[in-house]
Amino acid sequence: EIVMTQSPATLPVSPGERATLFCRASESVTTNLVWHQQKPGHAPRLLIYGASTRATGIPARFSGSGSGTEFTLTISSLQSEDFAVYYCQQYNDWPQTFGQGTKVEIK
Amino acid sequence: QVQLVESGGGVVQPGRSLRLSCAASGFTFSDYGMHWVRQDPRKGLQWVAVISYDATNTYYADSVRGRFTISRDNSENTLFLQMDSLRPEDTAVYFCASYGVGRYIAYWGQGTLVTVSS
């Protein structure tokens, strides 16, 4: 199966600052990658699909990039509601697999 | 808006069975594939199974293949997960989720907790 590795595990960021999260696949997934956001006690929510397309209702401060094995999620100016755990997931092959998550916390 | 509501979770002994349901609304259920995904604090998010829009194709994670069965009733807009021969390591919150334009997970339910313990 394709192994997804996220870094860093924890990212301390001050409100208003930029956050950059990384996701690496053990083999190419082309652009078949999504990013989900999860807040404590809640289900995940889709942010980005196709590596770079924002899902419906997702603010423009969220952007995704990358292809093949290297991907990035950027939050341009962190708002209070953005402190959460972020997961990447590949859907290029079965089984679909998730990264272990990056927790964005208040610095 | 899309709503996915899971039910059927609970506490069950090892070796026993449990059936989860997911009631879907707010979209044309019969047009979309559906997933089950589980989450526990130790292993994070784990994709479990998927079923095509017309139930002709299913795929399973190796850890559940042969024990779990995914199915759907398009007339009732409901997704199911039959879990047999349950093990302690199956303990997790189970989410149902729907396809997007592609086969990625676009919408998630709120989850139902399954605890396998004697």
Side-chain angles (χ1 to χ4, degrees), chain B residues 24-73:
Chain B
S25 61
F27 67 108
T28 306
F29 181 72
S30 57
D31 284 350
Y32 291 88
M34 297 291 294
H35 303 264
W36 285 100
V37 176
R38 66 187 181 185
Q39 184 174 33
D40 78 81
R42 292 177 296 113
K43 290 183 282 185
L45 287 164
Q46 182 188 23
W47 176 84
V48 173
V50 68
I51 187 167
S52 60
Y53 69 99
D54 59 358
T56 56
N57 290 294
T58 58
Y59 296 97
Y60 296 91
D62 287 347
S63 58
V64 307
R65 187 177 296 116
R67 300 187 300 122
F68 289 12
T69 303
I70 188 171
S71 62
R72 64 191 297 159
D73 183 341

Side-chain angles (χ1 to χ4, degrees), chain B residues 72-84:
Chain B
R72 64 191 297 159
D73 183 341
N74 284 346
S75 68
E76 296 289 334
N77 293 342
T78 305
L79 176 73
F80 302 101
L81 185 68
Q82 177 67 39
M83 304 186 292
D84 299 322

Side-chain angles (χ1 to χ4, degrees), chain A residues 36 38 43-44 49 91-92 96, chain B residues 39 47 50 103-105 108-109:
Chain A
H36 301 281
Q38 187 177 32
Y49 64 93
Y91 57 98
N92 193 63
Q96 295 190 8
Chain B
Q39 184 174 33
W47 176 84
V50 68
R103 58 186 185 182
Y104 54 86
I105 291 172
W108 297 74

Side-chain angles (χ1 to χ4, degrees), chain A residues 22-73:
Chain A
F22 301 96
C23 175
R24 172 176 290 177
S26 60
E27 61 187 83
S28 176
V29 298
T30 64
T31 56
N32 292 321
L33 182 114
V34 294
W35 291 91
H36 301 281
Q37 176 195 64
Q38 187 177 32
K39 298 179 182 179
H42 291 267
R45 175 178 72 146
L46 177 68
L47 296 176
I48 301 285
Y49 64 93
S52 60
T53 303
R54 279 189 303 277
T56 303
I58 301 303
R61 63 181 181 273
F62 290 92
S63 62
S65 64
S67 65
T69 61
E70 303 285 339
F71 301 89
T72 301
L73 174 69

